[in-house]
Amino acid sequence: MTHDEVIDVISESLRGAAGIRALFLSGSYGNGLADEHSDIDFLLVSEDGATDAMAAQWRAAIERTGEIVLWWDRTTAPVLINAITEDWTRTDVVILKPDQLGRQTQSALKPLFDHDGLYEQLAARPPEVAPDANRFRYQVEEFIRILGLIPLAVGREEYLNGALAVSLLRNKLVDLMVEETNAPNRGGILHLNRLITAEQKAILMSMRPALPDREAMIEAQLAYAAAYLPLARQRAERLGMEWPERFEAVTWARLKETLGIERPYA
């Protein structure tokens, strides 16, 4: 089945079901940014919420689109069900009661059916959210803390863990870049190409891969430090955030004392 066919089958099978008040497309299909690789996200409004009976109704609707080969029923979140069918069509549904729609917005949803006119009661778009300086300070301190563990990785010859640490630093840099672009409709990490600029992408592409080798691990972590920390300091200044100056200074001092590592940027 095509995704449009899947959506039609699910919608028609639930349109007249008892207790179901509305069904919306959410995610990339809800905001109009879907492509051929997108999963299909739904928001279902039920009188009683995410009950076992409602989950069974949803499963029956999915089974009409193909054999279910993966079914996660409210495991990671009490209202979320994930499914994959035999042709690898991925569907997610969040099941809410009508009075739980307060955080939803029209810009993120596309109605499939709406018996009670709930869509018209939603805000047009989410409010602007100011950057969280405290959260950003934690991110910066965590980046510095990971760098400070290089002597441990070297001393124990834990080069596999050192390579994993490079991945953690990369994630911090990616998060910072996305914050800098402030792109709308962020979605998940699989949409990174539209969340960062061409210049940012070039920086990430230039980075060495994380290899479980002493010198490669050190070199990669220092490369991420040189890319991340100056950029993070600039953002901290714009946010009026106090930079963890002392923590960074003693970390670089320890790296120089133990391994002869110099700060890789001015």
Side-chain angles (χ1 to χ4, degrees):
M1 283 189 179
T2 66
H3 281 192
D4 286 343
E5 290 171 336
V6 169
I7 291 168
D8 288 343
V9 167
I10 292 173
S11 177
E12 290 308 310
S13 67
L14 296 174
R15 185 180 299 271
I20 297 180
R21 307 313 308 157
L23 183 66
F24 304 97
L25 289 171
S26 59
S28 55
Y29 274 94
N31 61 31
L33 295 174
D35 60 24
E36 61 181 311
H37 306 292
S38 298
D39 61 355
I40 312 174
D41 295 298
F42 295 87
L43 174 64
L44 186 150
V45 183
S46 164
E47 292 175 356
D48 299 321
T51 63
D52 290 346
M54 191 53 55
Q57 283 186 276
W58 181 256
R59 183 176 182 113
I62 296 297
E63 286 176 335
R64 293 186 60 183
T65 71
E67 177 192 354
I68 296 173
V69 294
L70 176 69
W71 180 259
W72 287 346
D73 190 341
R74 295 162 291 171
T75 53
T76 58
V79 297
L80 175 65
I81 297 174
N82 313 96
I84 298 177
T85 51
E86 58 187 333
D87 62 355
W88 251 86
T89 297
R90 296 165 290 132
T91 58
D92 298 340
V93 64
V94 170
I95 305 175
L96 300 177
K97 297 178 182 179
D99 62 3
Q100 295 175 321
L101 291 177
R103 298 178 63 182
Q104 304 299 322
T105 63
Q106 294 178 357
S107 61
L109 299 175
K110 179 181 178 181
L112 295 172
F113 61 83
D114 181 8
H115 299 316
D116 304 320
L118 298 171
Y119 182 79
E120 298 303 322
Q121 302 173 37
L122 302 177
R125 57 188 57 83
E128 293 290 332
V129 178
D132 188 337
N134 289 331
R135 178 181 176 276
F136 183 56
R137 182 184 176 92
Y138 170 80
Q139 295 293 329
V140 171
E141 290 176 338
E142 176 66 356
F143 191 100
I144 297 170
R145 187 188 71 85
I146 293 170
L147 282 179
L149 295 175
I150 293 176
L152 184 152
V154 171
R156 293 178 176 172
E157 298 185 357
E158 286 282 356
Y159 303 133
L160 285 171
N161 277 331
L164 291 175
V166 175
S167 298
L168 296 176
L169 297 182
R170 176 190 179 279
N171 291 341
K172 291 285 188 292
L173 178 57
V174 170
D175 288 344
L176 176 57
M177 288 178 169
V178 172
E179 289 292 331
E180 288 287 281
T181 62
N182 196 28
N185 300 311
R186 292 186 182 182
I189 192 65
L190 296 179
H191 290 290
L192 184 59
N193 279 337
R194 63 176 172 82
L195 300 182
I196 60 176
T197 67
E199 181 181 2
Q200 290 172 332
K201 185 176 180 180
I203 292 172
L204 292 172
M205 294 289 288
S206 71
M207 294 295 187
R208 286 194 56 172
L211 300 175
D213 169 81
R214 182 186 189 278
E215 297 307 319
M217 175 267 295
I218 293 174
E219 183 177 338
Q221 291 204 36
L222 294 181
Y224 277 103
Y228 178 91
L229 290 170
L231 187 63
R233 186 182 284 270
Q234 293 172 16
R235 182 168 179 79
E237 291 175 357
R238 292 196 299 272
L239 295 180
M241 185 199 93
E242 182 182 358
W243 186 260
E245 206 74 64
R246 179 64 176 158
F247 183 36
E248 184 187 6
V250 299
T251 300
W252 287 118
R254 179 170 185 264
L255 292 175
K256 182 176 182 178
E257 178 184 358
T258 56
L259 297 171
I261 293 174
E262 298 284 351
R263 187 190 305 234
Y265 60 93

